[in-house]
Amino acid sequence: MEYRALGRSNLQVSKICLGTMTWGQQNSEAEAHEQMDYALEQGINFFDTAELYAVPPRPENNGLTEVYIGSWFKKSKKREQVILATKISGPRADLSFIRNHDLEYGKAQIHLALEGSLSRLQTDYIDLYQLHWPQRKTNTFGNLGYRHDPDDSWQDNCLEVLETMDALIKAGKVRHFGLSNETPWGLMHFIRLAEKHNLPVPVSVQNPYSLLNRSFEVGLAECAIREHCGLLAYSPMAFGLLSGKFHKKTDTPNDRINQFKGLARYNGALSWAATEKYLALAEQHGLTLVEMALAFVTQQKFTTSNIIGATTMEQLKENIKTAEVVLSDEVLAAIDRIQVEIPNPAP
């Protein structure tokens, strides 16, 4: 397993990160523990979760993912072997059950969210604490273009966020701070403020990135490389569409796209058309689509770690094994041609 610097920190994280959002929804506690055992054995030292998980979020499963990780820490005694990332949820009307408070990033809410995560995770500190999405209205979650809303009531509290993170780092409860679902403006705004006021800079940005969504390359890739704030890529398999199983008719009713029809981000006609082309390309070069899809994300210069997730051990083993795959220039050029033909069908 290759390890890479987490931004400007002194942490080295595995280039494959274990994603956890299905635990508590599609995976039991025992299955979650089995996944963590296996991932650690394979050299994965980086786990990512959130107070929001499991997904789709519901009151009855909220926080279960962190609970499962916490019970594994208690049982395994391996907390110190893991670089642990979690996230605080931001404003969203349908998530009022989380913390039962306004979901904003003020000092009080950050402290409340963090204490909840620490308790569920049965740990005294978080290695990487991330804002799950911007508090302001901007183009996240399926929106490519920015549409300004002059009535957006957002107040620029980014300095307060940074000051709070600084205090938590000094208190030993958080080691580093990161962003998620962020734009180039948002990332650079945080970096400028942090440098101006001598506060912690974000060490990572966790955004979607896959063969079906390369929007990160437009503005954020340059920021990530030049500012040493690399991508933690989520949904690299596009909810499993990029496994090829749906096109090969080997999918089951339990697969994510089939089970959660309301989560349609990766299930549009253009995504299916592009995936068909990527499947043919992979097979032409003796690769599985899983190998090509995950290796493409992992080997990008701006990627710090590729967040893989699985609902079965077979999937997990297949995903982790892609760490050994390096795509040729010929395959990369062919991927680019498909991207030009059907650009970013699943932003």
Side-chain angles (χ1 to χ4, degrees):
M1 181 62 64
E2 176 189 341
Y3 300 89
R4 299 170 177 174
L6 180 64
R8 304 185 196 183
S9 79
N10 60 357
L11 297 180
Q12 294 285 319
V13 298
S14 50
K15 69 177 181 179
I16 301 291
C17 173
L18 182 62
T20 65
M21 73 177 184
T22 62
W23 303 351
Q25 174 64 51
Q26 291 171 273
N27 290 103
S28 68
E29 185 172 24
E31 290 169 337
H33 286 195
E34 185 181 14
Q35 288 195 26
M36 286 184 277
D37 285 335
Y38 182 79
L40 199 62
E41 289 169 4
Q42 299 305 305
I44 292 177
N45 70 345
F46 194 21
F47 297 177
D48 177 74
T49 190
E51 68 166 344
L52 170 70
Y53 296 167
V55 174
R58 299 176 298 152
E60 54 267 35
N61 69 6
N62 180 233
L64 275 183
T65 307
E66 290 187 329
V67 168
Y68 291 178
I69 296 171
S71 63
W72 181 80
F73 283 150
K74 183 177 181 179
K75 180 182 75 172
S76 69
K77 312 297 183 186
K78 294 180 178 178
R79 171 65 184 95
E80 299 305 317
Q81 297 181 39
V82 174
I83 294 172
L84 177 65
T86 193
K87 313 177 197 74
I88 173 177
S89 298
R92 213 171 94 180
D94 60 338
L95 298 178
S96 59
F97 55 85
I98 298 180
R99 302 195 303 273
N100 197 28
H101 284 270
D102 293 333
L103 300 182
E104 47 85 32
Y105 296 139
K107 177 182 177 180
Q109 283 295 308
I110 293 174
H111 278 268
L112 186 63
L114 177 64
E115 291 303 325
S117 288
L118 290 172
S119 176
R120 289 186 293 272
L121 290 161
Q122 300 194 51
T123 185
D124 296 326
Y125 67 98
I126 303 298
D127 296 287
L128 176 63
Y129 200 47
Q130 304 158 99
L131 306 186
H132 207 151
W133 55 84
Q135 186 171 321
R136 68 192 188 281
K137 293 181 181 179
T138 188
N139 49 317
T140 57
F141 297 122
N143 297 306
L144 274 178
Y146 174 70
R147 299 289 182 269
H148 185 67
D149 181 357
D151 297 321
D152 183 7
S153 59
W154 173 68
Q155 299 295 316
D156 188 351
N157 63 344
C158 295
L159 182 58
E160 181 182 357
V161 170
L162 291 169
E163 289 172 340
T164 304
M165 293 296 175
D166 183 51
L168 290 170
I169 289 169
K170 289 175 178 174
K173 293 188 175 184
V174 169
R175 295 180 72 185
H176 300 285
F177 155 64
L179 301 170
S180 184
N181 295 294
E182 193 49 275
T183 67
W185 181 86
L187 174 59
M188 294 308 301
H189 184 55
F190 270 106
I191 291 174
R192 284 196 304 266
L193 278 175
E195 292 179 339
K196 178 180 178 180
H197 296 279
N198 194 30
L199 294 167
V201 295
V203 298
S204 59
V205 56
Q206 182 176 149
N207 275 35
Y209 185 72
S210 71
L211 290 173
L212 301 181
N213 180 5
R214 295 173 59 177
S215 58
F216 190 90
E217 298 174 12
V218 177
L220 276 163
E222 182 178 12
C223 298
I225 293 170
R226 294 189 185 279
E227 300 295 336
H228 305 287
C229 185
L231 170 66
L232 307 181
Y234 78 77
S235 290
M237 292 293 294
F239 271 26
L241 185 63
L242 287 170
S243 68
K245 60 188 172 186
F246 295 95
H247 289 71
K248 292 183 172 184
K249 309 300 183 185
T250 59
D251 58 300
T252 72
N254 291 327
D255 289 315
R256 200 161 182 81
I257 286 177
N258 293 333
Q259 192 175 161
F260 305 111
K261 299 294 186 182
L263 301 176
R265 186 174 184 180
Y266 301 102
N267 200 18
L270 287 177
S271 294
W272 277 69
T275 299
E276 184 175 8
K277 292 179 180 293
Y278 288 124
L279 176 59
L281 174 63
E283 292 180 342
Q284 176 188 342
H285 289 271
L287 298 163
T288 67
L289 183 51
V290 172
E291 288 174 330
M292 191 176 82
L294 291 180
F296 173 78
V297 173
T298 305
Q299 72 185 68
Q300 297 297 331
K301 295 185 188 306
F302 48 78
T303 299
T304 296
S305 193
N306 187 1
I307 305 173
I308 56 99
T311 54
T312 69
M313 287 302 298
E314 181 183 8
Q315 291 172 344
L316 183 65
K317 291 175 181 179
E318 182 181 19
N319 290 350
I320 293 175
K321 195 168 177 58
T322 65
E324 303 169 3
V325 178
V326 177
L327 302 182
S328 68
D329 290 342
E330 181 183 2
V331 170
L332 293 172
I335 287 173
D336 283 345
R337 289 194 291 270
I338 297 173
Q339 160 72 359
V340 170
E341 184 179 351
I342 309 178
N344 300 319

